[in-house]
Amino acid sequence: MTRHHREPGRYLDTLAYRCTPDLVGNDRVYLRNLDAETRTLWENLNRACQKRYGNDSAQAPYSIATTVLSVLTGGYVYFEPGGPQPFLASRERIDDKLLCRVFTLTYGLAQGIAIHEIDLRRPPELAQKIADTPESEVCLAEHVRPQTGTQPVAPNWVFRTIAWGLAQKLAGPWTVREGLAISLRPDVTGGLIALDDPWENDQGGRYALSRTALTLQTVPNIATPVLMVTSRVTRISDSLIYSRTVLAVQPGDNRPVLEVGLHGGGGARTISRYALEALGRLEMDYSVLQAIATRSQAEQRMRAEAIAEAGKDRRPTLSFSRERPAQIWPVLPKSRPFPIGVGTGMHHLRVLNEHVLGRFEGRAEPLIARATTMALPHRPTDPERVPKAEMDRRKAEREATGSKKALRGKGSAFPEPASIAAAVKAAGFTKLRLVCLWYRDETRLRMIAALAKTYGLETEGLDPHDGEEIDLFGGTITAVFHLAANFLAHGSPNGRTKALNPAAAALDTSGDVLIGAWCETHIPTTDDIPGLKPAELEDADAKPQSKMILASKDIASQYLLGRNANGIIEPKDPDHPAEMALLDLYRSLGIIDDRIANALRPEKRHAGYGADRIAHVGFHIRQQNKRKGEKSSPRTVVTATALIPPPTPGDVWQLLGWSSTVASWQPYRQAQNQFHETEYPQENGGKKSYRQRWDDVGDVVEQALQDLAEDLDGRPYVVTVDEDSARRIWDGLQNSKQGSQPGEGKSKRWLPGYSLQDDERPDAIIRVNIADDRVPPPIAYTHLLSTKDAVREGETTNALYEIETDFGTPVWVLCNVPRNYDGGNSGRLGAKYTRWDAKRSVISENREERRKSEMPEPWYSMTATEIYPIALNDRVSHEALAVATAQLCHQTMYWSGRARYPVALHAAIQMDEGHPQYRRTAQASDEEEDGPGR
């Protein structure tokens, strides 16, 4: 549907396009569909590698084959040896004999055989089977042809290879403004890189690249696959040996940029030795990989010399060349500081959309999404709403008196003290006591100031003695301060519980007083505990140790950072970190005020199915990464909350919690404390398959919902889950299964709660998704007015949009404008131009001429949350649930902005992220160990 054929209304512009045969054109790939016997042979090789390395998670190193084949065939190769449809695909033909030799070498190297001892004249059965598999030339367009009333049924290799040809079509000059064209090169992932036009910092010598990803996805009840286009900043490291990935320009014309994973530990990373040996044995040109290896060797020599020169007592300092790269571009790990910021900005995405539409000349058909009428709740954090007559009166009064008082009162995230007291009473307590544990006076003063602001107390003279209980609100809310340096000191857990004895009376939970602990902390360094290595600091961190001790006493805790890398924190006014920590303590205590009820007031058209009368349940599922030295299967963490309306409107809402550690529904505070006092759960029973582990999670959730249904005693409820973590458990959540029936998938469970009796089932499952490459990326909106051909365009929107589907029920997208983008000091970087026109810093004696550089700053873009309600009975209003979900994202429990997840799911996620074992100092999978002196 073109713009001229749409009904009047507001429509969302996105970087999401229907992938039709017209868009794909004549693109072809060369495909080998591997049979079941070949897959079994590969699985046997996997098991041999697991046995050899003593690791059940080990896999056969197929990257040897893909790296070698990428170099030999120009770059475009994808090998998927597992799964239901194993395949090998490429954009160029691969000679059968060459393929046999490559996999013979891969097989031998995986078995630990030296490269010169591998007999290429006697290939193993696996290599011969792969080479004997017929290679067919396939037309991609035939596999994306839509079929009426069904989801796309294209095989997996289509989704993996279709972007190759599309990226080639989009490569070349990209006009970002008049007089500036950026050259886009294709890469082997099917994306685009502006390698010839890098961004450079003001001082020079540091670089970053614009990278555009093209991914083929599906959207519920859309008959065609959907091409999602996203863009990001890839920052370039000056060293290769501390990077995980490198981009490399291949010799020759029209070849895509290689993206190669590096092997080895931090400070010794290089190209796969096996890949180099295989290419050398095949006597093929591998100069691009050799260039990577040569640079790694040179940097490792520099590192070794620096370490030897520094000796044992000093930290070595390394300085690498910062000339603009030519062939080799090492990618900087995400965790490192860098003088070029993240994010491309919104204008970048809009001109990228123009480029896509222009290159495909009408063949790129954007998804259509129209705004849904929704009244966003007035949040406590929003500015005061003032009627026009009152505003006129205030203006007149200000003019008459000369007052500078603001015309609108500022909002506040803090709940009214009376509502806190009401929630405490509803929970069965007579009083709330906040116990403030500190070890720096500066942090103690920050805590006092935050409490005084919250409860309207005068700070002058407010200086409580240690252990003195001060009244904050009518005797129902109090605070006690205790110096707890030994309890909060980093180091061994021995003696930590005993160190809490001086505060034992204040922390006594045996009576009818609700206790919350507000503690000081800082991230440990080697200065705190001399002799420890940086990697050992996590185990010495006092925060998780003290949190677990407090949780065992049924005390919710929250922490305030008192010192950072720059020293003792001197907060601005207002002290946002202190205020947010106090608010999150209220969340941990399960305190809910009337903001949830206000948010869920239903639209008149939804009065027949009021979302304010049902319970909102959120299940959070996450697979915990293994820690160093752990050999058991990955742990699956499940947390959940239930937001339950009161029997009488106007009373206090209830928040329950649940976890896979203590599988019972309890008040949120109690459930979280019991979850935090124990370690993450281990896998039950003996060794299990991937499918069995996820089916076990489904069984646990099913039992939890049955228990909850009994507690709710007939009250309707809905369950919200994140698609990315939940679709592997329940087939009914997957796009490909929409319109299907239970039993047609692989999972044991179809949907959460589906197996329960009718009167215990949830009304609906609300599937949400926030993955940037799976949700249509919003870039602007277009408002078609009722006047003929009248159009008004807007750059940002925070509205809810309904995607026009081809069949079945609708799906919605909630757009979010980042808070920092809309903030008063942000300057809305990237709103009108791209990073190529970023303003540089200006140093001047004239204050008006001074300017801060825009290049190091983050440039924000809109984000989106996909909302897809799946009804389990006929009385459900899909739109009412979509609107309610959007409202519960807009109105959080206490955060002053929006959350990308609704309240119940967000609270379940925070329950997990607050666990003592949830890593704070350990490196994530995309982070790197710092190099010496860096």
Side-chain angles (χ1 to χ4, degrees):
M1 184 186 294
T2 65
R3 174 183 293 180
H4 298 291
H5 292 90
R6 298 181 194 173
E7 294 291 326
R10 180 182 290 191
Y11 292 87
L12 183 65
D13 301 327
T14 69
L15 283 166
Y17 316 89
R18 289 176 178 268
C19 189
T20 62
D22 286 344
L23 183 70
V24 176
N26 293 321
D27 287 349
R28 285 168 159 74
V29 296
Y30 295 94
L31 178 71
R32 297 174 192 253
N33 281 310
L34 306 178
D35 59 22
E37 186 178 351
T38 307
R39 181 178 60 200
T40 299
L41 290 170
W42 187 268
E43 290 171 351
N44 293 339
L45 179 60
N46 269 337
R47 281 190 285 272
C49 291
Q50 291 166 4
K51 184 176 181 180
R52 180 183 174 213
Y53 297 116
N55 184 348
D56 290 343
S57 300
Q59 293 183 332
Y62 64 86
S63 60
I64 300 172
T66 53
T67 301
V68 171
L69 291 172
S70 293
V71 172
L72 298 181
T73 64
Y76 292 119
V77 172
Y78 197 95
F79 177 47
E80 189 169 292
Q85 299 172 325
F87 66 89
L88 173 66
S90 60
R91 206 154 190 259
E92 294 182 8
R93 289 191 179 277
I94 302 177
D95 179 76
D96 294 347
K97 292 182 179 179
L98 174 61
L99 189 62
C100 187
R101 289 159 64 89
V102 168
F103 276 97
T104 297
L105 293 172
T106 300
Y107 185 91
L109 291 168
Q111 299 276 22
I113 303 173
I115 188 71
H116 62 277
E117 294 179 359
I118 299 173
D119 189 349
L120 292 175
R121 296 168 300 177
R122 301 178 62 186
E125 185 181 5
L126 173 62
Q128 195 65 60
K129 284 284 293 181
I130 293 174
D132 289 344
T133 301
E135 182 182 69
S136 56
E137 182 182 12
V138 293
C139 177
L140 288 164
E142 293 301 318
H143 294 273
V144 296
R145 204 171 298 281
Q147 301 193 16
T148 304
T150 64
Q151 291 283 154
V153 291
N156 197 33
W157 58 264
V158 173
F159 288 83
R160 298 296 188 183
T161 64
I162 206 165
W164 295 345
L166 297 176
Q168 291 280 349
K169 294 181 176 73
L170 292 171
W174 168 29
T175 303
V176 298
R177 63 164 167 80
E178 186 176 351
L180 178 62
I182 301 300
S183 177
L184 296 177
R185 294 195 190 196
D187 65 34
V188 295
T189 69
L192 299 158
I193 308 180
L195 201 70
D196 302 299
D197 299 281
W199 295 307
E200 188 174 8
N201 66 317
D202 284 15
Q203 294 74 27
R206 308 310 298 267
Y207 301 92
L209 302 171
S210 168
R211 294 195 72 182
T212 299
L214 310 179
T215 57
L216 199 64
Q217 302 290 349
T218 59
V219 173
N221 303 329
I222 297 287
T224 61
V226 176
L227 177 67
M228 305 280 190
V229 181
T230 55
S231 194
R232 68 185 187 276
V233 174
T234 293
R235 300 182 290 185
I236 302 303
S237 174
D238 57 356
S239 68
L240 184 146
I241 57 175
Y242 291 103
S243 298
R244 286 187 183 274
T245 307
V246 66
L247 304 172
V249 179
Q250 300 190 78
D253 298 329
N254 301 319
R255 289 197 157 196
V257 177
L258 281 178
E259 180 180 271
V260 184
L262 300 179
H263 295 245
R269 293 223 164 85
T270 186
I271 196 69
S272 166
R273 173 176 59 87
Y274 291 153
L276 288 175
E277 290 178 345
L279 285 163
R281 181 74 188 276
L282 294 170
E283 298 180 349
M284 298 289 183
D285 175 23
Y286 57 101
S287 56
V288 62
L289 299 188
Q290 190 60 55
I292 297 172
T294 300
R295 176 167 169 178
S296 174
Q297 292 164 4
E299 289 186 7
Q300 288 184 58
R301 284 195 298 270
M302 290 175 58
R303 178 175 181 267
E305 291 169 0
I307 292 173
E309 183 178 340
K312 293 182 178 180
D313 299 329
R314 291 189 299 121
R315 190 177 184 184
T317 301
L318 279 171
S319 179
F320 297 102
S321 171
R322 292 188 173 175
E323 294 182 2
R324 173 173 166 167
Q327 185 182 26
I328 309 301
W329 299 72
V331 176
L332 187 81
K334 293 182 182 179
S335 63
R336 300 266 187 88
F338 201 70
I340 300 176
V342 298
T344 59
M346 297 190 189
H347 188 71
H348 181 111
L349 301 180
R350 287 193 285 272
V351 294
L352 182 59
N353 178 53
E354 294 172 3
H355 179 69
V356 173
L357 296 175
R359 279 295 178 94
F360 288 115
E361 299 178 333
R363 297 189 302 277
E365 181 184 345
L367 290 183
I368 297 173
R370 185 177 180 180
T372 296
T373 302
M374 177 180 70
L376 291 174
H378 184 263
R379 301 172 294 189
T381 53
D382 293 335
E384 179 189 11
R385 284 178 175 170
V386 182
K388 184 179 184 304
E390 173 62 16
M391 179 62 72
D392 292 341
R393 188 196 67 77
R394 292 183 183 184
K395 288 179 179 178
E397 181 182 355
R398 190 164 72 167
E399 288 180 9
T401 61
S403 170
K404 295 183 179 180
K405 183 179 178 181
L407 293 173
R408 296 178 187 272
K410 290 184 177 180
S412 172
F414 286 102
E416 292 292 330
S419 65
I420 296 176
V424 171
K425 182 179 179 181
F429 297 92
T430 60
K431 184 169 73 173
L432 168 64
R433 180 187 298 141
L434 302 176
V435 181
C436 304
L437 305 177
W438 57 279
Y439 51 91
R440 287 188 187 85
D441 196 53
E442 294 87 350
T443 306
R444 172 179 171 273
L445 293 175
R446 289 173 64 193
M447 291 176 170
I448 291 173
L451 290 172
K453 180 179 179 180
T454 303
Y455 293 97
L457 306 178
E458 293 293 334
T459 55
E460 186 175 350
L462 187 61
D463 187 18
H465 297 294
D466 212 46
E468 176 189 356
E469 188 164 16
I470 59 172
D471 183 31
L472 300 177
F473 180 73
T476 59
I477 306 174
T478 64
V480 178
F481 283 78
H482 272 284
L483 174 63
N486 292 335
F487 177 66
L488 297 172
H490 299 304
S492 167
N494 296 331
R496 194 175 299 278
T497 301
K498 186 177 180 180
L500 199 57
N501 286 345
L507 294 169
D508 183 9
T509 58
S510 61
D512 56 1
V513 178
L514 177 62
I515 308 292
W518 192 11
C519 310
E520 181 178 355
T521 188
H522 69 270
I523 297 176
T525 67
T526 51
D527 294 334
D528 293 300
I529 315 169
L532 281 189
K533 298 178 180 178
E536 299 172 330
L537 289 174
E538 181 187 6
D539 291 334
D541 189 352
K543 178 180 175 180
Q545 294 179 30
S546 57
K547 178 180 277 289
M548 189 170 285
I549 292 170
L550 291 167
S552 69
K553 298 177 179 294
D554 197 20
I555 298 172
S557 58
Q558 187 51 247
Y559 290 74
L560 176 62
L561 201 66
R563 190 188 78 190
N564 58 21
N566 299 319
I568 296 174
I569 293 175
E570 298 179 3
K572 298 178 181 178
D573 185 21
D575 187 350
H576 286 300
E579 293 180 4
M580 291 302 104
L582 183 55
L583 287 168
D584 205 41
L585 180 57
Y586 294 149
R587 187 268 311 168
S588 292
L589 290 165
I591 293 173
I592 295 180
D593 64 1
D594 59 359
R595 65 190 71 191
I596 301 301
N598 291 336
L600 287 175
R601 288 176 180 168
E603 306 274 345
K604 288 183 179 179
R605 67 185 189 277
H606 301 146
Y609 186 78
D612 61 334
R613 300 192 300 272
I614 63 175
H616 297 263
V617 181
F619 272 91
H620 162 64
I621 301 153
R622 180 180 62 85
Q623 195 169 69
Q624 171 79 350
N625 292 331
K626 287 185 179 181
R627 293 189 175 195
K628 188 175 181 180
E630 289 182 342
K631 294 184 179 181
S632 61
S633 298
R635 306 166 178 179
T636 301
V637 178
V638 186
T639 54
T641 67
L643 190 61
I644 303 173
T648 304
D651 286 350
V652 178
W653 281 62
Q654 184 182 13
L655 184 66
L656 299 182
W658 179 99
S659 75
S660 49
T661 301
V662 182
S664 64
W665 292 96
Q666 304 174 77
Y668 181 80
R669 163 196 54 80
Q670 192 173 350
Q672 178 173 271
N673 285 336
Q674 291 186 5
F675 177 55
H676 287 178
E677 72 170 302
T678 58
E679 294 189 352
Y680 279 131
Q682 297 282 353
E683 184 181 53
N684 293 326
K687 186 176 179 181
K688 296 180 181 179
S689 68
Y690 170 90
R691 182 69 265 155
Q692 288 172 327
R693 287 199 297 269
W694 288 118
D695 283 344
D696 285 350
V697 175
D699 291 343
V700 168
V701 172
E702 204 75 358
Q703 182 61 54
L705 289 176
Q706 185 175 17
D707 295 342
L708 178 64
E710 293 176 2
D711 293 343
L712 293 175
D713 194 25
R715 180 180 289 278
Y717 69 100
V718 294
V719 176
T720 303
V721 293
D722 176 71
E723 179 198 2
D724 199 47
S725 63
R727 59 196 170 98
R728 70 195 79 182
I729 304 171
W730 296 284
D731 283 339
L733 294 175
Q734 298 172 12
N735 289 338
S736 61
K737 298 297 188 297
Q738 300 312 302
S740 301
Q741 297 298 318
E744 296 182 13
K746 294 181 177 179
S747 65
K748 180 179 178 181
R749 303 287 181 182
W750 180 246
L751 287 169
Y754 190 84
S755 71
L756 303 182
Q757 297 178 12
D758 290 348
D759 60 345
E760 294 182 336
R761 275 187 184 180
D763 275 5
I765 308 302
I766 303 172
R767 194 194 79 178
V768 296
N769 195 342
I770 66 169
D772 292 337
D773 61 347
R774 293 177 59 84
V775 179
I779 57 172
Y781 72 86
T782 301
H783 196 169
L784 302 184
L785 305 177
S786 54
T787 307
K788 186 177 181 181
D789 295 331
V791 173
R792 186 170 68 235
E793 296 180 341
E795 294 180 350
T796 62
T797 174
N798 61 1
L800 179 68
Y801 292 84
E802 179 183 336
I803 294 177
E804 186 177 288
T805 53
D806 298 326
F807 57 93
T809 57
V811 59
W812 283 264
V813 170
L814 176 65
C815 295
N816 306 298
V817 179
R819 183 184 177 197
N820 290 341
Y821 175 84
D822 254 346
N825 298 322
S826 68
R828 296 194 169 185
L829 295 177
K832 302 296 183 182
Y833 48 83
T834 66
R835 275 193 183 271
W836 287 285
D837 289 319
K839 294 180 175 58
R840 303 292 177 168
S841 61
V842 174
I843 301 174
S844 173
E845 294 183 0
N846 186 343
R847 186 173 181 178
E848 295 181 355
E849 294 178 354
R850 296 174 194 164
R851 187 172 65 211
K852 187 179 180 181
S853 174
E854 294 178 345
M855 189 59 78
E857 300 300 317
W859 289 34
Y860 294 98
S861 302
M862 284 188 288
T863 62
T865 297
E866 181 190 271
I867 303 170
Y868 180 47
I870 304 172
L872 298 186
N873 62 55
D874 295 336
R875 67 175 179 269
V876 169
S877 166
H878 293 84
E879 185 181 85
L881 289 179
V883 169
T885 303
Q887 289 169 331
L888 289 175
C889 290
H890 186 70
Q891 176 60 77
T892 64
M893 279 182 72
Y894 290 115
W895 176 241
S896 56
R898 262 190 186 179
R900 297 189 70 182
Y901 290 114
V903 168
L905 180 55
H906 190 225
I909 293 170
Q910 290 177 301
M911 188 173 169
D912 174 32
E913 292 182 350
H915 192 282
Q917 284 188 309
Y918 193 93
R919 302 182 191 185
R920 179 175 72 154
T921 58
Q923 297 159 358
S925 59
D926 58 1
E927 295 177 340
E928 297 292 333
E929 184 179 322
D930 282 341
R934 296 175 57 75

